[in-house]
Amino acid sequence: MVLRSDLLNLRAMGYNVERILRQKEEARIAHNVMLQRQAEQEERELRKREAESRLQKPDEAEADMMPGMFPSNAESKELSQEPRDSGGLLAGFGRRFGLELGANSQSASKDIQDRDIQNGMQQQDIPPPHSSSDAVNVPRAPGVNPPGVNPPGGSLSPQELSSILAKAIKSSRPHESSNLVSEPAVHRVQETHSYCDAKPGTDIHQVGNIQGIRVFLDREVERASQRAADDFMTTNYSGLQAFASILLSCAAIYGLPQKAVHIFYDDTGSAIAFNQAQSLFFNFRIFRKDHLPALNHGTVAQAITFWAVVFAHELAHNLEGDHNSNFHNYSEGLVAEHLLKIAATANKRIPAGGLCLHSLGNFFFIKGFLLTRLVLEHKSECQSPPFDINRHNLGSVDAGCWLPKTFDKAVVLIIDALRYDFTIPVNSEVHHFHNALRVLHDTARQYPENAFLLPFIADPPTTTLLRLKGLTTGTLPTFIDAGSNFAGTAIEEDNLVAQLRSAGKTLVHLGDDTWHQLFPDYFQPNLTHAYDSFNVWDLHTVDNGVTEHLLPLLEPRNAGKWDVIFGHFLGVDHAGHRYGPDHPATNEKLKQMDNVIRQVVTSLDDETLLVVLGDHGMDTKGDHGGESDDEVESALWMYSKKPVFGHGHNGILEPPSTARDRAVGQIDLVPTLALLLGMPIPFNNLGSPIAEAFVTSKQPDWQRLASVNALAAAQIQRYQREYSKARGLDNNVFANSLKIWEVAQDLWRSALQPNNESHSYKSAYATFSDYQRETLRICRSLWARFDVVSMTYGITLQTGSLLIIAVYARASTPCRAEDVPVLLRHILITTPFCVILALGLGMAFPHIGVLNSSLLGFAAGGFLGFASALRKVPYGYSIPMPNSCWGWIPLVFTLLQAIGFASNSYTIWEDEILMFLLSTFACLAISATIRQSSSSDRILGLIQASIFFVLTRVASLSRLCREEQMPYCKSTYYASATSSTSASWQLLIPFASSMVLPSLIKSYFRGTRSYEGSAVIWIGVVLRLGLLACGVFWSLDAADDNDWLSVDKDILRTLKTTIAQLILGTALVAGTTYYVLAKPCISIEVPPTTDENDAGNVTPYKPKSVTVFGYSNMHGSRYFLIVGNWLLAIVLLQKPMGGGAIVILALQIFALLEVVDSNDLSQSAVGPVVLALLGSFYFFKTGHQATLASIQWESAFIPLKAIHYPWSPMLVFLNTYGAQILTTIAVPLLALWKKPPQKKGLLGDVAMAMATYILYFAVINLATTMWAGWLRRHLMLYRIFSPRFLTGMAVLLVVDIFGIVVALGSVRWNFLSVSEVFGWA
């Protein structure tokens, strides 16, 4: 848009026209000539008036004057072309921090003069400019400025000046009397030119108190009415509250005691403020007239800035009574020293307390919701078997502790993510993961007495760390293991590795370094080799390292160096994460494992047991973490060169063809290995020995089977008894299992009788197995007990924080920004009191806990402080009911989603529901736009609403289906449903985006003539090249994956990471720096400032107008630069399909901005809510779901070759929540788009939009939390409801952090940049 205005009007509105004019060199020269002539004329007039004044008024003796009374003005003077800048320090720093102390920067003193003119006061001689060489000899405020101190214009160091200014602040004190009377006086000040300081008479007295500030009223006002004092306090109560809040904020800036601040009111007069014997008085009349109306629009920055400068003025009078050069240096020194605090206070917006309350609410709910179990410290001992099986010569490691050992040594190989069907040969529908690892199945089928292969079922969550805990302790996984010795991730409870170590076995570990987190210092250091486990792009380093060190250890010459080897291969898992299971890389890794196992089998001796297992499986994309069948179904294979295994108990010799047949639990491995190696069964074990390991294939040894099951069941019964004591459980809890235990014991005693037949042992074996299964069922139910009280605390805190945000965001008469000091002050008062009280309760009632009570006290203090502050803020708060279609839409959309999360099918199909809601909004926008009276708004809104609808449908083509959506959903995000790589055609998306997106953004900017200045460079060049580099990166990545280039892979990967680092550095480092320093996206046309007549003489003249291109969208166009920075970074961190979705999201944001503008919805909640819906929708469109398995871990290695903390987790974080991060940063655009720089209340509008946006996610978080708690016994809790609750919690945290820190911080810099040219609104 184009703005044309007379220069005088621009200057009167606070615009720094001189800075605009100086952009043209010719204009600057002509302008300086004009200013020089004008200054000479003004100096002549000033001297003339001084002479006339001396003739009219003889010099008067010095009289007692009231320091700080501003001089009145005689007449309005034409504004000078160059505003006087007496402090270069303020002129430089002030502009950068939002306090324009140049043209608009001296807003306080300029407004003071203007206001005196408007009040009809006679102007005295205006003080001339000061210089450091001015001679000063004037009286100072008594007792403040010590003798011998040079004036600040002299040689004072910054430290000395700071010390003097601190004394000026400390010397302020309260006015002791309830009355204040002074006579008018005029005092002559001698400087380069003399002038007079004048003070009107004052007669005021105290009439009330507001927020601890005493309020004084002029007696002339009281004389007009006998009830003037009472009426004044009642009528102006809300305004006085607002003024007191502003003054207290300013006092806090300077560290000024509250009692030194006073409010006064008079009907007429020139005084804005005055200093009476170090007591500061501020005029409520000025505030009510000039600043109170602006607060209705949420604009507090101007009031804070103005009164902070007035404070500096009055504090300077504690050092210097007169308005001379020393005084100005002191006052400007105060402003300069507290400049950052002034800017920060002036730009305060949403309090971060909401983030604290959200976090506390989630903490308490998680604490009660996530399952816990008590870890017992008991250890099983070799000499203390839990059951007497009539075996002699036991109780020693050499013979066997509880059962004669079968093997002396063992090699345990873990193939990470070894899914069971990877081991089963197939003849049809062959995938890449078929028929590659045949040795396990072939050996088990051909030699059933030497090997067996069984499905090995993991307990979810299927993460490696939790699976290793289950594989070594035999216990069920819970999210929180509570116990006295719980420390970090190390396993402190009894486990198989600890038993082996206690028995003096030499343990060796090779591979995944997760083992060293769980078992620190357990392994022989000279033989152990650990490797980084998180670099999923590295398929070979770990596997090659394990193989390199494993095979030499199996040679006969090294047989005495070790007893048990744990080798953990990661290649299959990494291939699945990177490519998916159906990829040649997975086939290659499985073949490598087949070859390694064959070599190990060849190298084994008869006394060594070989175990090969998978800790979990993988889904169709190669991920894991959830509880789908593909994720929990792994494989277990045991091999021995001596024939000790069999299938005599069931007679089935063939390995199961599917994982649904004859599956065993992973916890069953612990008692099996312990008894085979002659070790005690770990105390906390709940597993049952695997029958195939203890029975022969020809003649089943039922006595042996009954013996091992009796030992395992007896150990479980011992654990059950001790756990009941520790938890204080009632005997009825284990009543059923105890009955089975008694029956099993009777059967065992019966089987021991002479002449007993084998079926008695068989019956005992079956009954002991029944006891183990029943006890396991009971333990699962025990550890699924939720702390409902803690969950209730969490839900209550979340509800309270939601109500606070709702009041703050959607109040009918919002005063958001200026209420922050009041809110914080009340919260700071109530919170310590509540915390102390809660700590007392926590110590009085130990079952509550000190930590819980203190956190609850902190939250209660926040709620009480906010509630009490509502009674003190200047305006009442209320949540209005919607009265229009646009008012109901965000409410209905939000509530529909909140209610819908109670349904598992709704949660599963959330992405489709979001598409429906967004399409509905687009249709409603089209309908509403058609009825617009303005043809331009109608056409523009109709086009943009249609674009919004089309883009929603296009984005829906990017889809990653979750298991529960099959077969009604087809994934398109990757090359196939079983792949984790992009299709070849998807590589074109980044290149197409680099050509299309900058051009389309340019078209939106040109609609407001904003494609100027910074926008041309950053959008037209940097963004385009950045997107092009993203295309190059993903092309090189595909070339690396598919071996398209005959280039060394190390060189290729170095090139990739270098490109990625350059992109991220440009977007987030250089881009942010550029954004902070960038000027507004405008250009200015200045007409010629000289005129050449017919004689060829050049005559300078003053231009009457300038043309500013991009004026009407100055805030919005510049703010988008920070959105573009994060857009580029997020596009890089997504797969090509996800990057294309983010590009579409950016275009939809522009379409939404135009729809909001054409329908005048910037104050409505519909914009923030729809933007939140877009963020949630594109979370799914970038290849994510509310499941652990959908996390794209490989994004951590886009700019890195290895794991680097904290950068690697941050990269995964940006990849996962990139869509929500982008929409969060874009929220301020809803208030800034197509808004001129001088529009009132813009900062308040930004605060309202951000609070409303956060409010939506707070509602979603509360809804998912409540439904997860209510449905805690639902079959799909941990598969659907719990992951969605955790996702909602994480998204709310993301929105809080990026909204408060990044978005609002960027808004601040945006306003500072714009204010440099046009001043503060």
Side-chain angles (χ1 to χ4, degrees):
M1 300 297 291
V2 180
L3 167 73
R4 293 183 181 273
S5 177
D6 183 79
L7 286 179
L8 292 178
N9 292 335
L10 286 174
R11 184 180 291 107
M13 295 169 64
Y15 300 162
N16 192 340
V17 176
E18 286 69 38
R19 188 177 289 106
I20 299 174
L21 297 178
R22 284 198 302 271
Q23 291 186 359
K24 302 291 185 179
E25 182 64 19
E26 298 83 1
R28 187 187 66 80
I29 297 174
H31 194 54
N32 288 341
V33 172
M34 178 181 62
L35 292 178
Q36 183 178 358
R37 293 176 180 175
Q38 181 176 344
E40 293 173 355
Q41 179 65 26
E42 289 179 353
E43 185 176 358
R44 287 193 293 270
E45 293 179 357
L46 180 60
R47 290 175 179 175
K48 181 179 178 181
R49 286 197 300 272
E50 289 177 358
E52 294 175 353
S53 175
R54 283 192 292 268
L55 291 175
Q56 295 173 1
K57 288 187 178 181
D59 290 347
E60 301 178 9
E62 286 187 352
D64 293 337
M65 74 168 294
M66 185 178 298
M69 189 69 72
F70 290 110
S72 59
N73 299 325
E75 58 185 9
S76 177
K77 296 179 68 68
E78 181 178 352
L79 293 174
S80 64
Q81 296 300 307
E82 280 289 343
R84 179 173 63 87
D85 186 357
S86 61
L89 174 65
L90 299 186
F93 284 98
R95 288 190 292 269
R96 295 309 307 162
F97 291 96
L99 298 172
E100 188 63 27
L101 297 174
N104 191 45
S105 55
Q106 298 180 7
S107 58
S109 58
K110 177 182 180 300
D111 290 349
I112 289 166
Q113 294 178 9
D114 294 344
R115 195 171 293 108
D116 291 341
I117 294 170
Q118 296 169 4
N119 293 338
M121 300 301 297
Q122 295 296 316
Q123 180 181 0
Q124 301 292 339
D125 293 338
I126 299 176
H130 303 299
S131 67
S132 60
S133 61
D134 290 341
V136 179
N137 184 17
V138 295
R140 291 167 174 78
V144 177
N145 200 5
V149 176
N150 292 327
S155 59
L156 282 180
S157 68
Q159 293 78 11
E160 292 172 326
L161 178 59
S162 177
S163 176
I164 293 174
L165 297 178
K167 290 180 180 180
I169 296 173
K170 293 179 181 179
S171 65
S172 301
R173 61 186 179 85
H175 183 69
E176 301 297 341
S177 174
S178 60
N179 300 286
L180 196 158
V181 181
S182 65
E183 299 296 329
V186 177
H187 177 67
R188 179 170 299 281
V189 180
Q190 295 293 334
E191 295 256 334
T192 305
H193 304 286
S194 64
Y195 65 95
C196 294
D197 269 348
K199 76 168 187 66
T202 303
D203 187 2
I204 58 179
H205 79 109
Q206 184 177 349
V207 295
N209 187 292
I210 199 83
Q211 296 190 40
I213 298 178
R214 299 164 67 191
V215 181
F216 291 76
L217 185 64
D218 189 87
R219 292 188 186 275
E220 290 293 332
V221 178
E222 254 193 313
R223 293 187 185 103
S225 171
Q226 294 183 349
R227 293 185 51 81
D230 295 337
D231 292 343
F232 173 78
M233 293 298 296
T234 303
T235 305
N236 296 284
Y237 179 78
S238 61
L240 287 169
Q241 286 279 5
F243 192 32
S245 299
I246 296 294
L247 294 181
L248 290 176
S249 297
C250 295
I253 291 172
Y254 296 100
L256 193 67
Q258 177 178 333
K259 293 183 178 181
V261 180
H262 309 77
I263 296 173
F264 77 97
Y265 176 84
D266 57 13
D267 273 339
T268 60
S270 62
I272 294 174
F274 63 83
N275 182 324
Q276 174 63 34
Q278 288 83 52
S279 298
L280 310 186
F281 290 78
F282 301 91
N283 198 336
F284 174 67
R285 172 171 56 85
I286 304 303
F287 171 81
R288 186 176 67 178
K289 175 178 178 293
D290 292 337
H291 297 128
L292 188 57
L295 298 187
N296 292 325
H297 302 283
T299 303
V300 72
Q302 184 182 21
I304 289 286
T305 305
F306 177 89
W307 290 101
V309 175
V310 173
F311 261 78
H313 184 104
E314 297 308 324
L315 288 171
H317 278 303
N318 287 348
L319 297 169
E320 190 67 60
D322 299 326
H323 293 108
N324 54 28
S325 60
N326 278 351
F327 165 80
H328 285 290
N329 286 328
Y330 284 134
S331 63
E332 291 178 356
L334 282 166
V335 174
E337 190 166 304
H338 298 84
L339 194 59
L340 290 174
K341 290 185 178 180
I342 296 174
T345 305
N347 290 283
K348 272 184 182 176
R349 288 299 164 259
I350 298 177
L355 174 60
C356 296
L357 293 177
H358 289 156
S359 301
L360 282 177
N362 287 322
F363 166 77
F364 276 103
F365 185 84
I366 288 175
K367 182 173 176 291
F369 180 75
L370 298 184
L371 304 184
T372 62
R373 68 179 176 89
L374 178 66
V375 175
L376 300 182
E377 298 180 358
H378 301 70
K379 309 288 183 182
S380 295
E381 297 180 359
C382 186
Q383 294 78 16
S384 301
F387 196 77
D388 184 10
I389 58 173
N390 292 330
R391 298 277 185 171
H392 302 287
N393 299 323
L394 297 179
S396 67
V397 174
D398 294 336
C401 290
W402 297 353
L403 190 75
K405 66 179 181 180
T406 307
F407 300 98
D408 293 328
K409 306 171 75 172
V411 176
V412 181
L413 302 182
I414 299 95
I415 301 178
D416 209 289
L418 179 63
R419 206 168 70 191
Y420 183 74
D421 60 339
F422 292 178
T423 66
I424 304 301
V426 297
N427 297 320
S428 60
E429 298 184 12
V430 177
H431 298 280
H432 287 101
F433 53 79
H434 284 143
N435 300 332
L437 181 59
R438 299 183 60 101
V439 61
L440 307 182
H441 185 273
D442 292 346
T443 306
R445 184 176 58 83
Q446 295 173 13
Y447 308 103
E449 68 279 5
N450 297 97
F452 63 86
L453 174 65
L454 294 174
F456 202 40
I457 307 302
D459 292 295
T462 50
T463 60
T464 295
L465 187 142
L466 289 179
R467 288 296 78 243
L468 292 182
K469 283 187 176 183
L471 288 168
T472 55
T473 63
T475 58
L476 299 176
T478 56
F479 286 93
I480 302 174
D481 293 337
S484 58
N485 290 326
F486 178 75
T489 57
I491 297 178
E492 299 292 339
E493 62 182 309
D494 196 11
N495 61 83
L496 181 61
V497 181
Q499 287 289 346
L500 290 168
R501 184 192 184 200
S502 298
K505 302 293 185 180
T506 301
L507 309 180
V508 176
H509 167 258
L510 305 171
D512 187 349
D513 61 355
T514 305
W515 286 79
H516 291 265
Q517 300 176 33
L518 300 176
F519 308 104
D521 303 324
Y522 275 50
F523 303 105
Q524 215 288 330
N526 295 330
L527 301 177
T528 294
H529 300 275
Y531 299 89
D532 182 13
S533 61
F534 287 103
N535 190 349
V536 296
W537 281 23
D538 184 353
L539 308 186
H540 307 293
T541 299
V542 177
D543 291 359
N544 293 342
V546 174
T547 305
E548 176 186 354
H549 296 96
L550 172 63
L551 295 178
L553 288 174
L554 299 179
E555 296 176 2
R557 58 187 177 88
N558 294 320
K561 295 181 179 180
W562 58 272
D563 293 302
V564 179
I565 298 176
F566 296 95
H568 196 145
F569 296 91
L570 294 173
V572 174
D573 178 71
H574 288 184
H577 282 300
R578 186 174 180 183
Y579 304 107
D582 194 12
H583 190 274
T586 305
N587 181 274
E588 178 185 347
K589 297 307 299 180
L590 289 172
K591 287 182 177 179
Q592 180 185 5
M593 293 299 98
D594 183 89
N595 181 57
V596 169
I597 294 171
R598 293 181 188 274
Q599 294 182 63
V600 172
V601 168
T602 303
S603 303
L604 286 181
D605 57 34
D606 290 347
E607 299 303 320
T608 301
L609 169 67
L610 175 60
V611 182
V612 178
L613 60 93
D615 56 343
H616 51 75
M618 65 173 68
D619 64 11
T620 56
K621 305 182 307 303
D623 298 319
H624 57 87
E627 55 179 322
S628 67
D629 291 342
D630 285 342
E631 292 171 272
V632 301
E633 294 172 354
S634 60
L636 171 67
W637 182 74
M638 286 191 178
Y639 174 81
S640 169
K641 284 197 171 181
K642 56 184 179 181
V644 295
F645 302 143
H647 305 270
H649 65 297
N650 54 29
I652 303 176
L653 302 181
E654 290 283 337
S657 59
T658 68
R660 294 179 178 85
D661 300 330
R662 294 169 29 226
V664 296
Q666 289 194 351
I667 60 175
D668 295 341
L669 177 68
V670 174
T672 302
L673 283 181
L675 295 176
L676 288 175
L677 295 174
M679 293 291 106
I681 299 175
F683 191 87
N684 296 333
N685 167 73
L686 293 174
S688 180
I690 299 172
E692 281 80 355
F694 298 96
V695 62
T696 61
S697 59
K698 297 180 180 178
Q699 183 66 34
D701 188 347
W702 291 109
Q703 182 179 2
R704 180 177 171 83
L705 283 178
S707 298
V708 296
N709 267 37
L711 288 170
Q715 177 55 46
I716 292 173
Q717 198 275 334
R718 176 189 284 179
Y719 170 75
Q720 169 191 311
R721 183 175 61 252
E722 296 299 327
Y723 191 86
S724 298
K725 291 180 181 179
R727 280 294 193 190
L729 300 178
D730 189 86
N731 292 331
N732 294 328
V733 174
F734 289 99
N736 291 335
S737 63
L738 290 176
K739 291 179 181 179
I740 301 175
W741 171 251
E742 293 174 358
V743 173
Q745 284 184 306
D746 292 339
L747 290 173
W748 174 260
R749 286 190 289 266
S750 174
L752 293 177
Q753 297 300 318
N755 302 321
N756 179 53
E757 297 182 1
S758 61
H759 68 80
S760 298
Y761 283 108
K762 182 177 180 181
S763 299
Y765 159 76
T767 309
F768 281 127
S769 297
D770 291 340
Y771 168 76
Q772 185 269 343
R773 284 191 290 269
E774 176 64 16
T775 304
L776 183 61
R777 183 194 65 80
I778 294 174
C779 288
R780 289 184 189 274
S781 64
L782 281 176
W783 295 334
R785 290 186 176 181
F786 302 90
D787 185 353
V788 178
V789 174
S790 183
M791 293 166 60
T792 304
Y793 288 156
I795 293 174
T796 302
L797 293 178
Q798 289 186 27
T799 304
S801 64
L802 186 148
L803 293 176
I804 289 176
I805 296 175
V807 172
Y808 192 82
R810 306 310 306 173
S812 56
T813 55
C815 302
R816 300 162 195 86
E818 64 273 18
D819 292 344
V820 171
V822 181
L823 296 174
L824 291 181
R825 184 165 57 256
H826 282 265
I827 291 173
L828 290 176
I829 292 173
T830 57
T831 299
F833 172 77
C834 291
V835 169
I836 294 173
L837 180 62
L839 283 174
L841 292 174
M843 289 184 286
F845 301 97
H847 66 279
I848 298 178
V850 175
L851 176 63
N852 290 348
S853 61
S854 59
L855 292 177
L856 289 172
F858 178 83
F863 290 134
L864 290 176
F866 183 83
S868 62
L870 290 182
R871 302 176 57 187
K872 301 293 185 180
V873 295
Y875 309 91
Y877 275 91
S878 63
I879 305 298
M881 289 300 295
N883 54 10
S884 66
C885 175
W886 290 122
W888 281 105
I889 287 175
L891 180 62
V892 172
F893 281 8
T894 305
L895 291 180
L896 281 177
Q897 278 201 284
I899 297 171
F901 286 118
S903 166
N904 59 342
S905 59
Y906 180 97
T907 306
I908 291 171
W909 293 97
E910 183 182 358
D911 53 343
E912 298 297 320
I913 303 298
L914 289 168
M915 184 184 68
F916 168 77
L917 295 178
L918 291 171
S919 300
T920 301
F921 164 76
C923 294
L924 292 173
I926 292 173
S927 175
T929 304
I930 292 176
R931 298 193 296 270
Q932 291 287 335
S933 57
S934 171
S935 60
S936 59
D937 286 343
R938 183 167 59 251
I939 295 173
L940 179 62
L942 184 62
I943 293 175
Q944 296 302 323
S946 301
I947 291 175
F948 188 94
F949 179 84
V950 172
L951 291 178
T952 300
R953 306 301 298 184
V954 172
S956 67
L957 299 177
S958 175
R959 187 182 303 111
L960 180 67
C961 304
R962 58 187 294 166
E963 182 186 13
E964 295 84 0
Q965 293 176 327
M966 300 298 184
Y968 307 105
C969 177
K970 181 179 180 181
S971 294
T972 60
Y973 191 76
Y974 296 110
S976 67
T978 59
S979 174
S980 293
T981 59
S982 300
S984 299
W985 67 268
Q986 293 174 340
L987 299 177
L988 299 175
I989 294 177
F991 294 102
S993 300
S994 68
M995 301 301 294
V996 175
L997 181 62
S999 299
L1000 292 177
I1001 295 176
K1002 178 179 177 181
S1003 68
Y1004 281 103
F1005 272 59
R1006 282 190 167 175
T1008 55
R1009 300 296 297 271
S1010 299
Y1011 193 68
E1012 307 286 348
S1014 305
V1016 176
I1017 299 174
W1018 208 250
I1019 296 174
V1021 179
V1022 177
L1023 181 60
R1024 190 183 299 276
L1025 292 178
L1027 293 173
L1028 186 63
C1030 291
V1032 173
F1033 171 86
W1034 286 110
S1035 297
L1036 292 175
D1037 181 72
D1040 183 23
D1041 291 344
N1042 299 284
D1043 296 326
W1044 291 345
L1045 301 176
S1046 57
V1047 179
D1048 184 77
K1049 285 189 174 294
D1050 290 336
I1051 296 177
L1052 196 59
R1053 289 167 187 169
T1054 300
L1055 181 60
K1056 284 195 310 177
T1057 55
T1058 302
I1059 293 174
Q1061 290 170 3
L1062 287 174
I1063 295 173
L1064 290 177
T1066 301
L1068 300 181
V1069 181
T1072 302
T1073 304
Y1074 185 83
Y1075 174 80
V1076 170
L1077 301 177
K1079 301 298 181 183
C1081 302
I1082 60 173
S1083 66
I1084 301 171
E1085 283 190 1
V1086 181
T1089 56
T1090 58
D1091 185 26
E1092 184 175 355
N1093 56 24
D1094 295 339
N1097 297 323
V1098 178
T1099 304
Y1101 69 91
K1102 177 181 177 182
K1104 297 299 181 182
S1105 66
V1106 294
T1107 303
V1108 182
F1109 294 99
Y1111 174 83
S1112 68
N1113 194 23
M1114 189 177 301
H1115 278 295
S1117 59
R1118 188 190 182 281
Y1119 182 81
F1120 180 78
L1121 298 180
I1122 193 67
V1123 179
N1125 293 338
W1126 287 91
L1127 168 68
L1128 180 57
I1130 292 170
V1131 167
L1132 170 68
L1133 296 177
Q1134 307 295 330
K1135 296 281 188 177
M1137 196 71 169
I1142 293 295
V1143 168
I1144 297 176
L1145 170 60
L1147 295 177
Q1148 278 198 276
I1149 291 174
F1150 275 109
L1152 175 62
L1153 295 176
E1154 295 294 346
V1155 171
V1156 168
D1157 177 70
S1158 61
N1159 290 276
D1160 193 21
L1161 298 174
S1162 61
Q1163 298 289 327
S1164 171
V1166 68
V1169 170
V1170 172
L1171 199 56
L1173 291 174
L1174 283 173
S1176 300
F1177 179 63
Y1178 281 92
F1179 168 79
F1180 297 100
K1181 299 302 106 180
T1182 52
H1184 299 96
Q1185 289 282 350
T1187 59
L1188 288 174
S1190 68
I1191 298 176
Q1192 300 172 20
W1193 300 105
E1194 64 273 18
S1195 58
F1197 303 96
I1198 289 177
L1200 303 171
K1201 291 183 178 181
I1203 294 290
H1204 294 283
Y1205 294 97
W1207 309 115
S1208 297
M1210 290 173 62
L1211 292 169
V1212 176
F1213 192 81
L1214 288 174
N1215 167 273
T1216 304
Y1217 302 109
Q1220 288 97 334
I1221 290 172
L1222 188 63
T1223 54
T1224 301
I1225 299 173
V1227 168
L1229 285 173
L1230 294 168
L1232 301 177
W1233 191 252
K1234 289 189 176 180
K1235 299 298 188 296
Q1238 291 295 302
K1239 183 183 182 299
K1240 299 293 184 181
L1242 271 182
L1243 288 173
D1245 292 346
V1246 171
M1248 181 171 66
M1250 183 59 69
T1252 305
Y1253 181 82
I1254 294 176
L1255 177 62
Y1256 167 84
F1257 286 106
V1259 172
I1260 298 302
N1261 182 48
L1262 176 61
T1264 55
T1265 300
M1266 292 178 63
W1267 292 126
W1270 181 259
L1271 300 170
R1272 60 187 180 276
R1273 299 296 179 187
H1274 195 282
L1275 180 64
M1276 293 294 178
L1277 174 64
Y1278 292 107
R1279 195 163 189 163
I1280 296 175
F1281 296 109
S1282 180
R1284 186 60 186 88
F1285 144 66
L1286 294 173
T1287 301
M1289 179 187 67
V1291 170
L1292 180 60
L1293 181 65
V1294 168
V1295 168
D1296 283 340
I1297 294 175
F1298 278 85
I1300 295 173
V1301 177
V1302 179
L1304 295 183
S1306 300
V1307 168
R1308 175 178 177 271
W1309 286 110
N1310 201 69
F1311 273 78
L1312 295 180
S1313 176
V1314 173
S1315 68
E1316 284 191 346
V1317 180
F1318 291 96
W1320 287 95

